[in-house]
């Protein structure tokens, strides 16, 4: 049987061409450059000290925060032979994204939980008894996006998987 040379053509006929937002490696220049120039050598997957880099359905590396957090060790970048990363990282967030806590959060459902705050090293997640101008019997979470490093530690610690990374388009 002949091997499939271009799987994107098959997806075209199945009507499965859709741009799926995926969290790539930290400080990648852009999704387009990444998918055009990444050779899928998997060196970054092997180099990741926290094992959060996995293959997506097309074989490209992506970040999976359910596995743990990013320590920003840059081993993925060091192991890559392609020019895929931003050179000057000063004051630039690692991903064009933001972290959000949705309504599955235990605290938002009046069950005491602060597991995300306990894992957040930069203390970007604060809890307050005031939420939306009302007093709450259970402290409610709020993420300071300015303080958030986007390391993902809060994501894997959440028992409800209520914390998500929302990719800015």
């Amino acid at each position: 049987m002949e091997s499939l040379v271009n799987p994107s053509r098959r997806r075209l006929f199945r009507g499965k061409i859709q741009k799926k937002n995926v969290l790539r490696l930290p400080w990648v220049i852009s999704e387009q450059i990444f998918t055009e120039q990444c050779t899928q050598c998997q060196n970054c997957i092997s180099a990741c000290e926290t094992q959060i880099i996995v293959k997506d359905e097309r074989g490209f590396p992506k970040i999976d925060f359910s596995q743990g957090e990013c320590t920003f060790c840059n081993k993925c970048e060091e192991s890559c032979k392609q020019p895929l990363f931003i050179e000057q990282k000063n004051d630039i967030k690692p991903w064009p994204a933001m972290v959000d806590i949705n309504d599955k959060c235990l605290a938002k459902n009046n069950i005491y939980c602060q597991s995300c705050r306990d894992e957040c090293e930069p203390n970007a997640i604060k809890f307050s008894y005031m939420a939306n101008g009302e007093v709450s019997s259970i402290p409610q979470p709020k993420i300071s996006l300015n303080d958030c490093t986007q390391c993902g530690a809060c994501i894997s610690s959440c028992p409800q998987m209520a914390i998500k990374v929302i990719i800015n388009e």
Side-chain angles (χ1 to χ4, degrees), residues 24 28 30-40 56 58 60-61 84:
R24 299 294 178 195
V28 164
S30 72
E31 175 72 10
Q32 179 181 353
I33 290 172
F34 185 82
T35 54
E36 287 174 359
Q37 296 184 16
C38 175
T39 62
Q40 298 181 356
D56 70 6
R58 298 184 317 167
F60 290 105
L84 304 175

Side-chain angles (χ1 to χ4, degrees), residues 99-168:
V99 179
D100 183 55
I101 302 174
N102 66 35
D103 290 336
K104 292 192 300 184
C105 171
L106 291 174
K108 289 184 177 187
N109 287 285
N110 291 321
I111 300 169
Y112 186 86
C113 179
Q114 295 187 359
S115 61
C116 57
R117 183 200 65 181
D118 296 341
E119 291 297 319
C120 185
E121 242 179 73
N123 295 318
I125 303 175
K126 308 273 191 237
F127 280 77
S128 171
Y129 285 99
M130 289 295 292
N132 300 325
E134 297 180 24
V135 177
S136 173
S137 59
I138 299 292
Q140 299 296 301
K142 181 159 176 57
I143 299 175
S144 169
L145 297 177
N146 290 334
D147 295 332
C148 180
T149 62
Q150 301 178 339
C151 69
C154 57
I155 294 170
S156 63
S157 71
C158 180
Q160 291 296 100
M161 296 175 23
I163 305 173
K164 303 283 184 211
V165 174
I166 300 169
I167 300 171
N168 301 332

